[in-house]
Amino acid sequence: MISADKTIMAIDIGSQWVKVAVAQQDEDTELRIPAYGICASEGFVNGYVINVEKLEKCIYSAINEVQQNLGEDIDPSRMPIYYSISGDKVSGKNTDTEMRHIHDVDYTTKIGKVSDEDIRWLKNSLEASILPTGIKKIAMITQCFQIDEREAIENPVGLYGQEIKAAGHLVTDAQSHIADLENVITKAFAIDNDGIDDDIKLIPVAASLASSLSVLSEEEKEAGVALVDIGEGCSDLSVFYNKYPVLTWCSAKAGGIITKDIKTFLNIGVGDAEKIKKEYAYATPTKAGSKETIEVPSITGGSGTLKLETLAAWVYPVAKFLFENVNNVLDSNIEDTTYKGIISQNGIVITGGTANLKEISSVAMEVLQLPVKIGKPNIVKISEFPNMNTDPSFSTLLGLCIYGMRNYEFSTGTKRKKRAGGSRTKSKNPAGNLIKDFWETLKNIQIS
């Protein structure tokens, strides 16, 4: 039985898989993941709900697997639930406040010491951004402060000056998109829990920002780095500089179009096409064996052979297209320079399920002309579930767990009901230690 203190749930909803995890923080501030569940996704494409009933059943199935592994029912009204958001309506923009006089000014010297009251006012000012109709704030991340002519101040409290301002990064999404996701999550929980609509606390988190917590180092974010999380349905990009995000972008073009092309070329089912992509496909023909062949099934029965070099020739232009989209965004102007200039030292880190495609980093380097590496979610070591640390497809789920522990203010313990009929499957042993000194990257996020 897991402890009742500081427990959250994370739900990563993707076009291919729905992943759910329970995470805990113990007295030593270590992160523990006692159980997780996974279910093949249906009713969800490119970040959007297309069938409420199908997706509801998938989420319920993943939650139920977690409960079976715990041997306990989860009461969703007693813990915050963090869920991932992707889709082409998710975006971020940089904003700042007007200069304001420091509150505690000495009228003799004309300077004052920055206090917590100044910071609260500035953060409230950043939060007050006027959004277009139908758009909702997901997060406002305070990037830095300026006192008089001194810029890029990380923590201004206790410093002296006359005026101060703040800069931040605003992440938004369509209200209807958020409403759809929260509706289907709530319905999934309601299958076994009556009357939870008003009690359940759902908190959306942009997928790339979540993944960054489990993949990127503090040093990379300080120097400048881009992370692109390429799943089956969406490609989520964030650029970091001086620790904080300066760009958030999402595209509905992702690994699923590679699967679709293989399906079309070979005239086979989606499941077979996905298996061939994972087990045999290379992103570039130059790395595939020119004479090596595989046996492929036929949708009408029987089978045939296919050269890996031919398969790679089909995959290559699609993989190249994915990074051409990213390249166009990175070439965008920011203060008379480009995002590519900001990340020139560390380049781009690829994570997400499509990062498992063989030689995908070679194509990325060819298109982007930047350093490229595959990012695995190994900042938090999970010894009981080592696949989490080695599989990039778990980056968002693990990042949601870290994000939740860093941002939710726990007030009461989390209580659970014992499953009817006694214990089911025994709980898996929690493992893994969270590096105590969590990154400060998202420390100032204000949840709407």
Side-chain angles (χ1 to χ4, degrees):
M1 182 175 181
I2 64 175
S3 170
D5 296 332
K6 295 187 177 181
T7 303
I8 69 160
M9 176 174 279
I11 303 178
D12 178 22
I13 306 175
S15 295
Q16 189 171 28
W17 302 103
V18 172
K19 302 185 185 79
V20 177
V22 166
Q24 259 193 327
Q25 183 174 293
D26 63 20
E27 294 179 355
D28 295 324
T29 70
E30 294 179 344
L31 182 70
R32 306 165 64 222
I33 300 180
Y36 76 93
I38 185 169
C39 179
S41 183
E42 290 187 273
F44 190 73
V45 176
N46 301 130
Y48 291 92
V49 181
I50 62 170
N51 188 309
V52 172
E53 185 176 334
K54 286 184 177 180
L55 183 57
E56 168 194 332
K57 291 178 179 178
C58 295
I59 296 173
Y60 171 78
S61 179
I63 293 171
N64 195 49
E65 183 179 346
V66 173
Q67 293 182 139
Q68 289 180 352
N69 290 334
L70 289 174
E72 307 171 36
D73 280 344
I74 296 173
D75 182 353
S77 66
R78 301 303 301 274
M79 69 179 72
I81 298 165
Y82 291 83
Y83 67 95
S84 61
I85 56 167
S86 295
D88 53 15
K89 297 299 182 184
V90 178
S91 65
K93 71 171 185 177
N94 299 313
T95 183
D96 56 17
T97 67
E98 299 290 334
M99 293 291 287
R100 63 157 281 168
H101 289 291
I102 293 171
H103 177 73
D104 185 22
V105 172
D106 185 299
Y107 290 99
T108 301
T109 62
K110 306 299 183 184
I111 62 172
K113 181 189 289 187
V114 178
S115 66
D116 290 333
E117 183 175 346
D118 293 297
I119 304 305
R120 282 193 297 270
W121 188 95
L122 290 169
K123 288 184 177 180
N124 289 336
S125 183
L126 286 172
E127 291 280 329
S129 300
I130 298 175
L131 300 177
T133 303
I135 300 298
K136 183 176 181 178
K137 179 191 69 180
I138 300 303
M140 171 59 78
I141 303 164
T142 306
Q143 297 165 321
C144 63
F145 299 86
Q146 176 181 337
I147 300 177
D148 299 332
E149 301 302 320
R150 291 169 287 168
E151 299 180 345
I153 298 173
E154 182 176 342
N155 182 6
V157 175
L159 300 179
Y160 286 87
Q162 294 180 324
E163 294 183 313
I164 187 171
K165 67 182 295 186
H169 186 69
L170 174 66
V171 183
T172 61
D173 190 15
Q175 287 181 332
S176 59
H177 185 213
I178 296 171
D180 285 341
L181 289 169
E182 296 196 347
N183 172 55
V184 74
I185 293 172
T186 301
K187 282 180 173 292
F189 278 110
I191 293 175
D192 285 339
N193 299 272
D194 296 328
I196 67 167
D197 296 34
D198 297 330
D199 298 326
I200 190 170
K201 186 173 182 60
L202 297 172
I203 304 169
V205 183
S208 59
L209 295 181
S211 295
S212 71
L213 286 173
S214 65
V215 173
L216 299 179
S217 70
E218 185 176 359
E219 290 76 16
E220 287 173 321
K221 291 182 179 182
E222 176 78 32
V225 67
L227 176 123
V228 59
D229 186 328
I230 309 178
E232 187 74 2
C234 291
S235 296
D236 297 276
L237 171 71
S238 284
V239 174
F240 292 84
Y241 185 61
N242 286 334
K243 296 185 182 180
Y244 300 103
V246 294
L247 172 68
T248 303
W249 171 85
C250 184
S251 169
K253 304 298 183 182
I257 60 177
I258 298 176
T259 306
K260 184 178 179 181
D261 277 6
I262 294 174
K263 173 184 178 296
T264 301
F265 286 132
L266 295 177
N267 190 29
I268 58 177
V270 174
D272 288 330
E274 182 65 26
K275 181 178 179 181
I276 289 173
K277 181 182 76 173
K278 287 184 175 181
E279 295 184 7
Y280 303 108
Y282 284 78
T284 172
T286 60
K287 298 294 183 178
S290 60
K291 295 182 179 181
E292 189 174 352
T293 63
I294 60 170
E295 189 172 293
V296 297
S298 169
I299 201 168
T300 57
S303 62
T305 59
L306 173 69
K307 285 186 176 182
L308 291 187
E309 188 177 41
T310 302
L311 177 62
W314 295 340
V315 173
Y316 171 69
V318 186
K320 188 175 179 181
F321 168 74
L322 295 179
F323 291 107
E324 286 172 346
N325 280 347
V326 173
N327 193 51
N328 291 338
V329 177
L330 294 178
D331 278 336
S332 300
N333 290 328
I334 173 173
E335 298 178 356
D336 299 322
T337 185
T338 67
Y339 290 103
K340 290 179 75 171
I342 289 176
I343 65 174
S344 59
Q345 177 180 337
N346 291 307
I348 190 165
V349 178
I350 307 170
T351 194
T354 304
N356 289 317
L357 180 64
K358 299 176 184 65
E359 296 299 327
I360 191 171
S361 58
S362 298
V363 179
M365 284 188 284
E366 175 189 337
V367 174
L368 300 172
Q369 296 296 299
L370 287 167
V372 175
K373 75 173 185 178
I374 302 300
K376 297 180 180 180
N378 53 19
I379 296 300
V380 177
K381 303 300 181 183
I382 309 296
S383 59
E384 181 67 19
F385 308 118
N387 59 307
M388 281 190 173
N389 290 141
T390 59
D391 187 349
S393 70
F394 280 95
S395 295
T396 299
L397 181 69
L398 193 51
L400 288 170
C401 295
I402 299 172
Y403 183 100
M405 286 304 171
R406 288 298 298 162
N407 288 280
Y408 192 72
E409 295 182 3
F410 296 92
S411 57
T412 59
T414 303
K415 298 180 180 179
R416 294 182 184 78
K417 301 171 288 183
K418 206 63 173 169
R419 294 188 71 92
S423 176
R424 301 277 290 273
T425 304
K426 290 185 179 181
S427 173
K428 297 178 181 178
N429 292 329
N433 293 329
L434 175 63
I435 296 176
K436 294 183 180 180
D437 190 16
F438 273 118
W439 297 323
E440 297 295 321
T441 305
L442 299 180
K443 183 177 180 181
N444 294 319
I445 288 183
Q446 305 295 317
I447 300 297
S448 60

